[in-house]
Amino acid sequence: MNLTLEQAQAALNAAKEKAQELDLKMNIALVDAGANLTAFARMDGAWLGSVDIAIKKARTARFFDMPTGDLGQASQPGGSLYNIEHSNGGLITFPGGIPIKDGNGKIIGAIGVSGSTVENDHTVAEAGMNAVK
């Protein structure tokens, strides 16, 4: 099962609404189960440098089936995954990327958000993730 375009658009809309509620300008990326970009939005005025980060957060979350912030904790100096961010053409290991599951708990894609603090990025990504049914 893959994240459908309809599901990706629902997640994108929910994430945009949350960003607007928080008065943030975000880049929001959705990937399917194969980590292929399915939907993307760059809100007016969002940082250009965050486009790539949002996409990489979504891909990282899908590649490792965990929130990017969790991967970041394991990749600190001395950690078992230290330097993992240099693999796969570059990963993002700070919050803002979250896997998306279907009703049976199977991962069907991921969302990545960038454009503010990592806490805000995660909050907006969570809103998008929660919109997928």
Side-chain angles (χ1 to χ4, degrees):
M1 180 79 177
N2 255 332
L3 182 73
T4 65
L5 179 58
E6 184 178 335
Q7 290 170 315
Q9 289 174 326
L12 189 64
N13 290 335
K16 278 188 338 187
E17 286 175 18
K18 186 65 169 180
Q20 289 167 334
E21 174 188 316
L22 298 172
D23 197 27
L24 302 171
K25 300 169 184 167
M26 302 294 225
N27 291 288
I28 305 160
L30 281 295
V31 298
D32 64 16
N36 302 297
L37 188 63
T38 303
F40 181 84
R42 178 175 172 264
M43 295 174 70
D44 294 342
W47 294 329
L48 290 174
S50 290
V51 170
D52 183 57
I53 295 170
I55 295 168
K56 284 184 177 175
K57 282 183 182 183
R59 291 179 70 227
T60 300
R62 177 55 189 113
F63 283 165
F64 295 95
D65 295 339
M66 69 176 73
T68 53
D70 292 355
L71 186 61
Q73 290 177 350
S75 66
Q76 294 302 305
S80 61
L81 298 177
Y82 182 59
N83 279 329
I84 195 169
E85 66 274 10
H86 300 293
S87 70
N88 295 287
L91 302 173
I92 300 295
T93 58
F94 45 85
I98 305 174
I100 297 174
K101 298 178 182 180
D102 66 13
N104 298 318
K106 182 176 179 182
I107 295 175
I108 58 172
I111 184 169
V113 176
S114 183
S116 182
T117 64
V118 293
E119 294 82 10
N120 285 338
D121 292 354
H122 182 81
T123 297
V124 172
E126 211 167 39
M129 174 202 65
N130 288 332
V132 175
K133 299 190 178 16

